[in-house]
């Protein structure tokens, strides 16, 4: 199935409602920042950014007039300090804004800011985007339900996101995967199964290979690979369940084939159960925080009615839980999906406890 048919052509940006705004304030995600997304749009010109092979990266490096450059640099240093430090100006003298890049590809049209420490030449990135409620739900769910914590800030219509390090999935598949050992390929296949399951459970869509990164972790005498989502624009929007399963995008065909070749069906089922159990444990350990977020999402408008109706119907066909067919919002579907995973985990755990008790003398 082509992406044109799988995905909507254009996803609208949804505003942050009062309850979500209060949630962000309560959990220190909301903070006054000295620059807005629109301020960065006032660039005087730009040049194309090419990669090491001379290919267009779809990013352009923007520059500003002398009258605005100094103020923008100072504001971006303040944002960096708020995101990564205590918000004070003590570190400004050690920072340099090396580049401001703008991406015209995709929904979010982000700015990528490169910040360098002039004492040691270490550098990092952060992103400035337009605020979108879908994206915020996606970031928060990733923070609570994935193995990774996320750092981001919101102020009015501007969203600041930290950079997620890793090798872009499409680059890894093309340049690195062919030279991986057979054991590394098996481990990657396992990780893709778990990533696929995690995305479906929490309704994170559009995980094509360039929307996630692969992170190599050196562990004793071998390398372990992890897969991390880096794009959260398509949280709880599309009506087709396939959009929330990375295996159905053609860009991931190589990974799907890797799973087919390296894993037995029983192993795939085992890894799915493991991932559901891990997500269930995270739901339980997140306590009131995830409950508050999902309750806000249940009453929020972050998709189209026809998408909600179709997704509820498709998940019902998968789970046979009639509640999915009665949902009116994407937040209600998300609530039922997470509750379904949690209840199944708790039911299995209680069954095991009872079985152990019966076996006691």
């Amino acid at each position: 199935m082509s992406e044109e048919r799988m995905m909507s052509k254009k996803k609208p940006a949804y505003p942050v409602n009062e309850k979500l705004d209060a949630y962000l304030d309560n959990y220190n995600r909301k903070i006054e920042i000295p620059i807005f997304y629109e301020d960065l749009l006032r660039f005087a010109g730009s040049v194309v950014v090419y990669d090491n092979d001379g290919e267009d990266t779809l990013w352009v490096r923007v520059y500003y007039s002398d009258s605005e450059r100094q103020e923008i640099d100072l504001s971006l240093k303040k944002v960096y300090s708020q995101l990564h430090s205590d918000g004070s100006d003590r570190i400004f003298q050690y920072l340099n804004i090396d580049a401001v890049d703008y991406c015209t590809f995709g929904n979010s049209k982000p700015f990528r800011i490169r910040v360098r420490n002039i004492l040691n030449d270490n550098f990092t990135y952060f992103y400035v985007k337009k605020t979108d409620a879908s994206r915020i739900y996606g970031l928060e769910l990733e923070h609570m339900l994935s193995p990774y914590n996320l750092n981001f800030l919101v102020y009015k219509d501007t969203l600041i996101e930290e950079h997620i390090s890793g090798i872009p999935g499409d680059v890894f598949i093309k340049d690195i995967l062919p030279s991986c050992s057979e054991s590394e390929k098996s481990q990657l296949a396992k990780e893709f199964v778990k990533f696929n399951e995690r995305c479906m459970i929490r309704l994170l869509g559009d995980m094509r290979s360039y929307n996630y990164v692969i992170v190599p972790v050196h562990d004793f005498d071998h390398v372990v690979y992890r897969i991390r989502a880096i794009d959260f624009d398509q949280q709880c929007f599309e009506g087709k369940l396939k959009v929330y399963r990375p295996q159905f995008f053609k860009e991931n065909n190589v990974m799907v084939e890797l799973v087919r070749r390296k894993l037995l069906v029983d192993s795939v089922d085992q890894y799915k159960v493991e991932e559901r159990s891990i997500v269930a444990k995270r739901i339980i350990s997140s306590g009131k925080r995830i409950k508050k977020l999902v309750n806000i999402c249940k009453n929020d408008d972050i998709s189209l009615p026809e998408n909600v109706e179709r997704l509820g119907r498709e998940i019902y066909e998968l789970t046979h839980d009639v509640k999915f067919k009665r949902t009116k919002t994407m937040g209600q579907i998300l609530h039922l999906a997470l509750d379904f995973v949690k209840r199944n985990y708790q039911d299995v755990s209680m069954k095991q406890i009872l079985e152990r008790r019966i076996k006691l003398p």
Side-chain angles (χ1 to χ4, degrees):
M1 181 179 290
S2 68
E3 269 113 50
E4 287 74 22
R5 293 176 61 190
M6 275 186 69
M7 300 280 298
S8 300
K9 288 185 177 180
K10 180 70 174 178
K11 172 192 166 295
Y14 291 94
V16 174
N17 64 28
E18 290 184 7
K19 290 185 178 180
L20 181 56
D21 187 68
Y23 170 94
L24 294 169
D25 194 21
N26 186 53
Y27 289 101
N28 298 316
R29 297 295 199 187
K30 180 183 174 184
I31 186 171
E32 187 172 347
I33 57 177
I35 194 168
F36 292 102
Y37 177 88
E38 282 77 11
D39 295 330
L40 295 178
L41 289 173
R42 302 199 306 263
F43 49 86
S46 64
V47 294
V48 176
V49 177
Y50 297 97
D51 63 18
N52 292 333
D53 297 322
E55 298 291 330
D56 187 348
T57 62
L58 302 178
W59 289 83
V60 294
R61 185 147 298 166
V62 302
Y63 55 89
Y64 299 87
S65 64
D66 292 341
S67 60
E68 290 194 324
R69 180 72 201 202
Q70 188 173 359
E71 180 183 353
I72 287 175
D73 278 12
L74 179 60
S75 295
L76 292 174
K77 289 178 183 179
K78 289 179 180 178
V79 170
Y80 175 88
S81 180
Q82 290 171 328
L83 187 66
H84 290 291
S85 187
D86 59 1
S88 71
D89 59 1
R90 289 175 297 177
I91 62 173
F92 289 3
Q93 60 183 315
Y94 308 122
L95 302 179
N96 188 68
I97 305 300
D98 273 6
V100 178
D101 297 334
Y102 178 59
C103 183
T104 58
F105 178 74
N107 280 322
S108 60
K109 292 184 170 56
F111 285 93
R112 180 178 63 197
I113 316 301
R114 173 170 161 148
V115 183
R116 178 171 56 89
N117 185 308
I118 61 176
L119 296 179
N120 52 35
D121 271 349
N122 285 333
F123 64 87
T124 189
Y125 298 94
F126 67 86
Y127 298 85
V128 181
K129 301 180 179 180
K130 290 278 287 183
T131 300
D132 175 20
S134 298
R135 195 173 299 126
I136 290 172
Y137 287 122
L139 288 164
E140 274 291 288
L141 288 168
E142 180 76 3
H143 179 75
M144 288 185 275
L145 299 183
S146 82
Y148 316 104
N149 292 330
L150 283 182
N151 190 14
F152 68 93
L153 301 172
V154 181
Y155 183 58
K156 295 184 178 180
D157 64 349
T158 298
L159 171 66
I160 309 295
E161 289 182 29
E162 71 176 350
H163 175 65
I164 298 174
S165 299
I167 305 166
D170 54 341
V171 174
F172 184 94
I173 290 170
K174 177 177 177 289
D175 297 337
I176 300 176
L177 180 59
S179 61
C180 287
S181 68
E182 293 306 308
S183 62
E184 288 172 342
K185 290 178 180 177
S186 295
Q187 194 271 323
L188 273 163
K190 169 186 174 181
E191 185 67 17
F192 186 77
V193 169
K194 292 195 165 197
F195 178 67
N196 189 78
E197 193 71 11
R198 189 162 66 244
C199 291
M200 183 181 67
I201 290 171
R202 42 76 58 97
L203 301 183
L204 176 61
D206 194 20
M207 282 298 106
R208 285 174 278 191
S209 57
Y210 49 77
N211 285 332
Y212 59 81
V213 294
I214 296 178
V215 184
V217 179
H218 292 267
D219 184 23
F220 292 105
D221 59 348
H222 66 290
V223 177
V224 176
Y225 293 99
R226 299 286 183 248
I227 301 178
R228 293 192 63 177
I230 59 171
D231 190 317
F232 304 94
D233 295 347
Q234 290 289 340
Q235 176 68 48
C236 295
F237 176 73
E238 292 287 346
K240 304 178 185 70
L241 184 57
K242 285 184 175 181
V243 173
Y244 303 103
R245 304 176 74 178
Q247 70 187 79
F248 287 107
F249 288 101
K250 67 179 183 181
E251 288 87 351
N252 296 326
N253 283 349
V254 172
M255 298 298 285
V256 173
E257 177 63 18
L258 197 65
V259 171
R260 191 191 66 79
R261 287 193 297 106
K262 305 299 292 186
L263 301 180
L264 298 174
V265 173
D266 287 348
S267 295
V268 172
D269 291 340
Q270 173 198 338
Y271 296 141
K272 287 181 178 180
V273 171
E274 287 180 8
E275 191 61 29
R276 288 184 210 130
S277 299
I278 291 171
V279 171
K281 291 175 184 177
R282 292 191 184 114
I283 294 170
I284 295 168
S285 64
S286 296
K288 292 182 179 179
R289 181 166 181 167
I290 194 166
K291 185 176 181 180
K292 287 179 181 178
L293 182 73
V294 173
N295 282 339
I296 294 168
C297 190
K298 283 166 67 176
N299 297 300
D300 206 349
D301 178 20
I302 54 172
S303 188
L304 305 174
E306 56 267 30
N307 287 357
V308 176
E309 190 275 333
R310 174 167 182 170
L311 185 60
R313 186 178 68 251
E314 290 192 8
I315 297 181
Y316 161 74
E317 292 169 358
L318 183 68
T319 64
H320 304 293
D321 187 338
V322 72
K323 293 178 184 177
F324 283 102
K325 290 204 297 184
R326 299 170 181 163
T327 51
K328 301 299 181 184
T329 68
M330 279 292 182
Q332 291 174 2
I333 295 177
L334 175 67
H335 166 71
L336 290 174
L338 297 181
D339 190 59
F340 184 86
V341 171
K342 184 177 74 171
R343 282 189 289 107
N344 281 357
Y345 168 75
Q346 290 174 325
D347 290 346
V348 171
S349 298
M350 182 57 65
K351 181 180 178 182
Q352 291 172 341
I353 291 171
L354 291 174
E355 286 175 348
R356 286 199 295 269
R357 286 178 178 174
I358 291 171
K359 292 176 182 179
L360 290 175

